[in-house]
Amino acid sequence: MASSVNMDPDVARRLFEEGATLVFLGVPQGTELGIDCKSWQVGPRFRGVKMIPPGLHFLHYCSVNSPSCGNEVGPKTGLFLTLKPREILLANWDPKEEDLNFSASQNEEEVTRIRATLKELDPFLGPYPYEVMRKWVSLTDHLNEEMAQNLQPLSGRVCSFSDVVPEVHFKHTKDRAEQPRNDTACQNMKEGLDRLPKMKQRDGTELRFSVIPKKTYPPGATPAQITQCSMDLSYALETVLEKYYKLQPLSLLGELQFAFVCFLIGNVYEGFEHWKCLLALLCRSEDSICKRKDLYLGLIAVLYHQLGEIPPDFFVDIVSQNNFLTTTLQEFFQFTSGPGVDSTLRKRADKFKAHLTKKFCWDFEADLDDCAPVVVELPEGVTLD
């Protein structure tokens, strides 16, 4: 691995003196490994990455079978790291788990030994891909160490493939034999799926996102209020901000960025689903748009960089499913052009809409179906005669 862009000599010297170093021992040749927005295939001489700018980074890797087994790529694993100036982080490859083990970094003697031999290791260390630094910062400028630690799984690993276990664990064959069985052939897919054991994610492997309330209206709401809160999600948004980000509302944008990085770089579909939910919550909150200028100016900047990084085919295959993105942003642009919206926010939104229209040829002028029926969930005990 090597950096493909010539670095400014002053920057290179500063990173050489102040940059952090990741030392990886025993990583099999052919393993796909990357940091932030760039990845490589590990060669026979690879021992780690040097000249890493201090701060938050996303390390990601996946094992690859030998050519005789078809060069199949395993699920991607990632973890967020916050590196200090001149820090050395040491990890050994665990062939059984096909994962990096960082326990050696807790051994001060071992780290001291590595630091003493860093000069000899230098030819085997690839330089940090500084050409992607600006892109990485633009995708994570609202995300910090504390937030990344709070959002990533307790296991410390962000995995593209969920680690699942049965909801009910049967320790003995006798227990399993006593479960109801039906030996007749399945009549359809649903019946077959119903017979499978119910599974759940293994404790400690779940991403710990904010919980978006399913009920978007306050307790005791009238049918009219329920309808209003279904059209304007401000109550639900303010509930999330009050519970998770009361002192720093803009930190919600950090969670939006965390989910996006997990999806785009970590290949975690759950990250995309949460990104989509957060985006819908933010864009469909008319009252909050009028009250929280700074949050929405930040949202436009975040989306500008995120949408610039999604590969074009993603819009065809995933992001544009049911026109989610265009319809959600269309509602947002309608709200930002309404009365009571700060003039700076309105102008910024207009420029963003023009940018998206030109770059992606999206039509935000089509009429929304205002006459579509709204499904209203009535409070318990309330009926309509």
Side-chain angles (χ1 to χ4, degrees):
M1 55 179 282
S3 181
S4 59
V5 176
N6 292 327
M7 193 184 301
D8 178 88
D10 291 336
V11 173
R13 183 168 55 254
R14 188 164 66 251
L15 285 178
F16 184 78
E17 295 172 353
E18 299 294 321
T21 304
L22 297 176
V23 177
F24 302 136
L25 302 179
V27 179
Q29 183 176 345
T31 300
E32 289 189 8
L33 183 141
I35 185 169
D36 301 340
C37 302
K38 186 127 183 180
S39 60
W40 312 267
Q41 194 170 55
V42 168
R45 291 164 50 87
F46 174 78
R47 297 295 183 275
V49 185
K50 62 182 178 180
M51 301 168 65
I52 306 172
L56 183 71
H57 297 281
F58 185 62
L59 175 70
H60 45 99
Y61 45 90
C62 48
S63 59
V64 179
N65 284 338
S66 63
S68 61
C69 296
N71 284 325
E72 292 185 354
V73 179
K76 182 174 285 190
T77 298
L79 63 152
F80 287 86
L81 300 170
T82 300
L83 301 174
K84 301 173 183 177
R86 299 181 298 280
E87 181 178 7
I88 293 178
L89 205 56
L90 174 62
N92 292 285
W93 183 260
D94 184 335
K96 182 179 179 180
E97 299 293 333
E98 294 189 329
D99 196 4
L100 288 168
N101 186 334
F102 287 86
S103 60
S105 289
Q106 309 302 319
N107 188 327
E108 293 186 10
E109 291 184 4
E110 185 67 12
V111 173
T112 300
R113 185 185 68 80
I114 291 294
R115 189 179 296 277
T117 60
L118 210 53
K119 187 174 182 180
E120 288 75 18
L121 267 178
D122 189 73
F124 306 98
L125 302 174
Y128 175 84
Y130 191 73
E131 68 272 17
V132 304
M133 185 64 189
R134 185 184 297 273
K135 179 192 299 186
W136 172 248
V137 170
S138 71
L139 291 176
T140 58
D141 57 337
H142 290 279
L143 186 59
N144 57 36
E145 177 184 10
E146 181 182 5
M147 187 178 302
Q149 291 297 321
N150 289 338
L151 292 172
Q152 72 178 359
L154 291 172
S155 65
R157 297 293 190 273
V158 176
C159 299
S160 62
F161 185 79
S162 296
D163 184 4
V164 296
V165 294
E167 289 185 358
V168 180
H169 182 62
F170 301 113
K171 295 183 178 180
H172 306 289
T173 303
K174 176 177 174 291
D175 298 329
R176 293 192 294 271
E178 291 175 353
Q179 293 304 300
R181 291 184 59 184
N182 187 341
D183 293 327
T184 59
C186 297
Q187 299 301 311
N188 51 51
M189 176 68 77
K190 182 180 184 304
E191 184 180 337
L193 292 175
D194 288 342
R195 292 191 192 180
L196 294 174
K198 298 294 185 283
M199 309 297 286
K200 64 176 182 177
Q201 263 191 280
R202 187 184 298 277
D203 290 343
T205 66
E206 314 96 325
L207 291 165
R208 294 176 290 164
F209 291 127
S210 299
V211 178
I212 299 175
K214 293 181 180 180
K215 292 186 176 181
T216 61
Y217 51 85
T222 65
Q225 289 173 325
I226 294 173
T227 299
Q228 174 61 28
C229 290
S230 298
M231 296 165 54
D232 178 356
L233 301 182
S234 295
Y235 173 79
L237 174 60
E238 296 299 328
T239 299
V240 171
L241 291 173
E242 175 70 20
K243 182 175 181 180
Y244 298 100
Y245 302 110
K246 183 175 183 179
L247 299 179
Q248 296 179 310
L250 266 66
S251 293
L252 181 63
L253 300 178
E255 182 169 339
L256 189 72
Q257 291 181 325
F258 179 93
F260 186 81
V261 167
C262 288
F263 162 58
L264 184 71
I265 303 177
N267 299 342
V268 181
Y269 189 73
E270 183 187 350
F272 168 68
E273 286 295 323
H274 190 69
W275 175 78
K276 192 167 69 169
C277 290
L278 279 182
L279 189 56
L281 184 66
L282 285 159
C283 289
R284 295 179 58 198
S285 297
E286 182 177 12
D287 190 51
S288 295
I289 290 173
C290 295
K291 295 178 179 178
R292 295 187 178 274
K293 177 188 76 171
D294 291 341
L295 177 64
Y296 283 93
L297 286 173
L299 174 64
I300 291 173
V302 167
L303 286 177
Y304 174 84
H305 293 293
Q306 289 182 343
L307 299 185
E309 295 304 321
I310 298 180
D313 56 339
F314 273 45
F315 287 118
V316 176
D317 296 336
I318 296 179
V319 178
S320 61
Q321 283 179 4
N322 302 319
N323 296 317
F324 156 75
L325 201 52
T326 50
T327 54
T328 300
L329 289 175
Q330 185 178 16
E331 289 185 83
F332 175 63
F333 292 137
Q334 283 198 357
F335 289 151
T336 55
S337 64
V341 175
D342 177 82
S343 59
T344 302
L345 176 58
R346 182 185 296 110
K347 292 176 184 177
R348 191 75 56 83
D350 287 343
K351 289 182 65 175
F352 185 46
K353 180 170 73 171
H355 164 74
L356 294 178
T357 301
K358 180 179 179 181
K359 182 170 183 176
F360 299 114
C361 298
W362 290 343
D363 180 14
F364 296 109
E365 303 306 323
D367 291 334
L368 289 172
D369 190 5
D370 294 327
C371 297
V374 177
V375 178
V376 175
E377 181 181 349
L378 294 178
E380 186 176 350
V382 176
T383 60
L384 294 178
D385 296 325

